[in-house]
Amino acid sequence: MRHHEIIIVGSGAGGATLARDLCRKGKDVLILEMGADAFPQPLSIATSKEGIDIYQAFGAGGATVLCNGNGVRALERDLAALGIELQQEYAQLEAELPVAPIADSLLSPEGSLRLLDIFGAAGIPMRRMPKFIDPAKCKGCGMCSLGCPNGAKWDCRVFLNDALTHGAEVLYHTTVTKVLIENGRAVGVEATGPGGVERLTADVVVLAAGGLKTPLILQNSGIEAAGQRLFVDLCEIWCGVTPDIDISREPPMQLVYTEMAQEHRISLCTVYVSNRKKLRYYFGDKSELFRNNHWVGILVKIGDEATGRVFPDGSVSKRVTDGDRRKFEQGAAQARKLLQTAGAADDSIIKLDKIYGGHNGATAAIGEVVNTELQTAVTGLFVCDASVLPLAPGLPPVLTIMALAKRLAKTLA
């Protein structure tokens, strides 16, 4: 293997965006991806020792392939307070990408359009969720989080392919185990691929393997502070049967309520689950109650306390703290109000037993493991994924990770 200027570990929101921008500036980039160049990729679930399911995704495009395509600014003020201004990067992304409030054509008159009228009349500021979705291609099948089958949802495979067009190389099925360090400087990585264990050298190494995998690589490389804190943006779902509201033929997570997001790190959005396998996963033995009824789901997402941990053996500890429960209680009160306003009878409103998370971060946090330039104490070793976020946003972080990647690309170029 020849020497490269920059090795990027991971091809998701951080890795693919960084690779695209660097290759467009003439940099020599090698991307290492533990997953496959396949679509759709399977969802991976890591269950914490306390029983919390934590979502992951591996393969070309990373978690952007299996997310719901929500493009919102998260932690904007918090990062700015640390000296990380992302206004320019956000503006560039929002101008380039198909991110816009979900189109009227994707919302049905008997569904979310009616809900907007109902909530508006009640003085509840629900708004359309910003989406990476082409309304001309969307069929409203609800398969966003399983890999859009119609090519309507934008994902970071677009940036990855752009990077390849501009000279990047990518190795799939290649798992990085540690960073090679000499005299306090990163000089490459050790990885296991189809040909066995390899040592790949570079001037700069950027880890963008995700909130659960990046800290493992850092720990194996001697950075013991990694993995000490973990948030996952914990979620729970409330549901209510409505007499005449039908959102079953719309993309999921259509409308969002963010009035509690900045101060309390709680956001709520409408959801509907049509896939039978997912229905059983979320609803369990309650799934029959909703299968043949008009119902509205309200997803309560909280910015949970970063008290979890990723251990060197790959196991994870993550529990619901007393502070998290108080946030869920606040979110639940608002969720019930939204469902009642939508016409759901009190005796039809239930909370699903499943609590889960999928925005995994703070395991290499800014100010603890990396500095504001996203560099570790090891010269030439950077991190660019949700691991660097210092606290849970309670909002989708994809756009923020991409903005951080664009900022880092300017530094490395």
Side-chain angles (χ1 to χ4, degrees):
M1 295 293 294
R2 67 179 177 85
H3 180 86
H4 291 267
E5 281 187 274
I6 301 169
I7 286 178
I8 298 174
V9 182
S11 65
T17 304
L18 181 62
R20 193 281 297 261
D21 281 18
L22 287 173
C23 288
R24 284 189 168 191
K25 294 174 181 177
K27 291 296 181 180
D28 168 32
V29 174
L30 173 65
I31 304 161
L32 304 178
E33 170 57 57
M34 68 179 294
D37 181 16
F39 180 85
Q41 56 189 261
L43 177 68
S44 175
I45 298 178
T47 302
S48 74
K49 295 179 178 182
E50 297 81 4
I52 300 295
D53 284 351
I54 305 171
Y55 297 169
Q56 302 179 91
F58 308 110
T64 65
V65 175
L66 298 182
C67 73
N68 279 296
N70 302 323
V72 300
R73 297 187 181 193
L75 297 180
E76 192 171 9
R77 295 183 196 172
D78 302 279
L79 292 172
L82 294 173
I84 301 175
E85 279 286 352
L86 297 174
Q87 287 290 336
Q88 184 180 36
E89 289 78 11
Y90 277 130
Q92 290 170 344
L93 287 166
E94 290 164 348
E96 178 181 2
L97 301 178
V99 58
I102 188 168
D104 280 358
S105 61
L106 301 182
L107 306 178
S108 56
E110 68 279 8
S112 291
L113 292 177
R114 181 136 186 258
L115 284 176
L116 282 171
D117 290 339
I118 292 172
F119 292 141
I124 298 174
M126 291 288 280
R127 61 187 179 93
R128 293 170 174 81
M129 177 75 83
K131 292 277 190 181
F132 298 108
I133 291 181
D134 181 348
K137 296 179 180 178
C138 181
K139 307 297 182 185
C141 66
M143 296 286 283
C144 298
S145 63
L146 297 176
C148 175
N150 305 303
K153 187 188 75 175
W154 185 94
D155 62 61
C156 268
R157 290 177 301 159
V158 175
F159 280 2
L160 181 61
N161 289 333
D162 190 296
L164 296 177
T165 299
H166 285 84
E169 297 177 47
V170 59
L171 297 180
Y172 292 102
H173 303 292
T174 301
T175 301
V176 172
T177 52
K178 68 178 181 180
V179 179
L180 303 175
I181 301 170
E182 295 179 2
N183 300 318
R185 172 177 287 278
V187 296
V189 299
E190 183 177 279
T192 301
V197 178
E198 298 178 276
R199 292 168 65 88
L200 309 172
T201 63
D203 299 324
V204 170
V205 175
V206 183
L207 302 183
L212 300 187
K213 296 301 182 184
T214 286
L216 290 181
I217 301 171
L218 291 171
Q219 289 170 343
N220 288 338
S221 308
I223 301 178
E224 297 179 358
Q228 297 297 314
R229 301 203 302 126
L230 170 68
F231 70 73
V232 298
D233 270 355
L234 289 169
C235 301
E236 66 180 16
I237 300 176
W238 285 79
C239 301
V241 176
T242 60
D244 51 7
I245 302 292
D246 183 5
I247 60 174
S248 64
R249 294 181 297 280
E250 302 175 1
M253 303 181 76
Q254 310 94 325
L255 308 179
V256 63
Y257 178 90
T258 59
E259 297 303 293
M260 306 165 73
Q262 184 62 42
E263 182 178 355
H264 302 289
R265 303 197 189 284
I266 303 170
S267 62
L268 298 90
C269 65
T270 53
V271 293
Y272 188 89
V273 180
S274 56
N275 179 272
R276 298 213 163 199
K277 184 177 179 180
K278 289 184 69 176
L279 197 66
R280 287 193 298 273
Y281 172 78
Y282 288 114
F283 285 62
D285 57 7
K286 299 174 183 176
S287 60
E288 294 300 327
L289 296 174
F290 292 89
R291 181 166 291 167
N292 297 314
N293 288 306
H294 290 317
W295 63 274
V296 173
I298 300 294
L299 174 71
V300 178
K301 184 189 300 292
I302 68 167
D304 53 307
E305 296 180 1
T307 58
R309 185 171 178 185
V310 179
F311 296 96
D313 64 359
S315 61
V316 177
S317 174
K318 181 60 192 172
R319 64 186 179 89
V320 182
T321 67
D322 290 341
D324 296 336
R325 294 188 190 282
R326 287 192 289 271
K327 285 188 179 182
F328 272 136
E329 289 171 1
Q330 289 179 274
Q334 187 63 35
R336 291 185 66 88
K337 178 181 177 181
L338 293 175
L339 291 170
Q340 290 165 344
T341 303
D346 284 348
D347 60 2
S348 80
I349 298 175
I350 64 169
K351 183 188 73 164
L352 305 187
D353 296 331
K354 181 70 68 177
I355 295 179
Y356 63 96
H359 304 157
N360 316 319
T363 46
I366 296 166
E368 296 178 19
V369 176
V370 300
N371 60 21
T372 55
E373 298 303 317
L374 308 189
Q375 185 169 208
T376 68
V378 176
T379 302
L381 174 57
F382 297 79
V383 179
C384 190
D385 57 27
S387 302
V388 305
L389 300 180
L391 69 166
L395 287 167
V398 168
L399 196 66
T400 297
I401 296 168
M402 294 168 67
L404 286 168
K406 290 186 73 66
R407 180 176 181 267
L408 178 58
K410 295 170 185 176
T411 300
L412 297 181

